[in-house]
Amino acid sequence: MSPISRRRLFLAASSIVAAAAAPRALFAQAAAPAPAAAPATGPFTLPALTYATNALEPHIDARTMEIHHDKHHAAYVANMNNVAKTNPQLGTTPIENILGNINALDDSIKFTVRNNLGGHANHTMFWEIMGPNGGNPEGEVLAAITSDLGGLEKFQTDFNAAGGRQFGSGWVFVTVTKAGKLAIETRPNQDSPLMDGKRVLMGNDVWEHAYYLNYQNRRPDYLKAWWNTVNWAKISERYAAAKAGTLGV
Ligand code: MN3
């Protein structure tokens, strides 16, 4: 290309860029938008993991943890902050109370809150009850597992079977009453036993995003391996809180 035609091309390209950029710059000044990638801020916050994303390897890989926490859970939080802009009472009511009265919400937001606040509550619990070196069930929790769920081995078998049977996306939970009684329950999507006024002792996420990078279609293998990530000390704390009536999400 001759220097002249190169110059002409440059000028032509410059004028196209300038024409395209001008209205955008004006809009940016008028609207002062936040960067597109920034999460919506508001009353709902993504809880930080209390362990490294690779701390649960080889059972749950770091990349799965990063995408699951930083993208999936963050999206539920951002969506709730968006809906809270026009429904500020959502940000000032305890999460378990909103979910426990989900059908009282206006139809215009019920579906959004069910999915996204359900997702926020479920994942907040999920990160909390996992960790490296999680130990074994002891004390009152072990006694309840023995009396209500047929012992640790039967409990784990039944919990994995329930998680395996959950068709499509969902969760397998252990619910706990104020008297300390345990039961295995499943829910589809991001539904939670909190929506039935119950309390969740623990639960496992059986959405494909929880395991697909490492286990692909082998959900039963993920369910088995997941027990190596369970933090039993934290579950004991949640059990005590449930009996004291102070367990939230
Ligand atoms: Mn999930």
Side-chain angles (χ1 to χ4, degrees):
M1 197 183 288
S2 73
I4 291 171
S5 60
R6 195 192 298 268
R7 169 86 181 141
R8 194 177 289 158
L9 189 65
F10 173 75
L11 285 173
S14 301
S15 59
I16 290 166
V17 168
R24 196 176 298 173
L26 284 174
F27 175 78
Q29 235 170 4
T41 55
F44 297 95
T45 53
L46 180 65
L49 292 175
T50 58
Y51 40 85
T53 53
N54 66 359
L56 307 181
E57 290 188 342
H59 314 294
I60 303 179
D61 64 279
R63 186 76 180 124
T64 294
M65 289 295 290
E66 286 161 15
I67 297 170
H68 201 174
H69 179 270
D70 301 351
K71 306 293 183 193
H72 288 276
H73 190 172
Y76 301 129
V77 170
N79 290 339
M80 280 311 302
N81 282 329
N82 275 327
V83 72
K85 284 178 192 165
T86 45
N87 298 272
Q89 79 284 1
L90 293 172
T92 56
T93 308
I95 291 170
E96 59 273 22
N97 292 1
I98 300 172
L99 295 178
N101 296 286
I102 191 79
N103 288 317
L105 292 177
D106 190 86
D107 282 343
S108 63
I109 60 169
K110 194 183 294 182
F111 185 71
T112 300
V113 173
R114 184 179 196 106
N115 289 335
N116 290 283
L117 194 58
H120 179 39
N122 286 339
H123 288 86
T124 298
M125 173 279 298
F126 187 56
W127 312 129
E128 183 180 306
I129 59 111
M130 295 194 293
N133 312 310
N136 294 297
E138 294 173 2
E140 286 198 1
V141 168
L142 181 59
I145 288 171
T146 302
S147 64
D148 300 337
L149 303 175
L152 184 58
E153 195 174 328
K154 180 172 174 8
F155 160 46
Q156 292 181 328
T157 301
D158 290 349
F159 184 95
N160 290 355
R165 276 194 307 269
Q166 173 57 43
F167 184 77
S169 298
W171 289 76
V172 52
F173 298 99
V174 176
T175 55
V176 55
T177 67
K178 206 173 172 196
K181 194 159 175 56
L182 306 182
I184 297 170
E185 302 194 29
T186 57
R187 293 291 186 282
N189 306 314
Q190 293 298 352
D191 283 2
S192 161
L194 294 167
M195 294 168 185
D196 303 309
K198 298 181 177 182
R199 287 295 176 271
V200 172
L201 179 66
M202 60 189 289
N204 192 3
D205 187 343
V206 300
W207 283 59
E208 285 184 345
H209 68 226
Y211 62 85
Y212 210 86
L213 286 182
N214 200 15
Y215 296 91
Q216 293 83 48
N217 60 315
R218 303 187 309 278
R219 187 192 288 182
D221 291 352
Y222 159 71
L223 281 158
K224 259 184 223 165
W226 178 77
W227 291 100
N228 294 294
T229 72
V230 171
N231 179 349
W232 285 103
K234 184 54 74 176
I235 289 171
S236 280
E237 283 175 29
R238 292 177 64 87
Y239 187 77
K243 292 182 78 173
T246 58
L247 181 61
V249 301

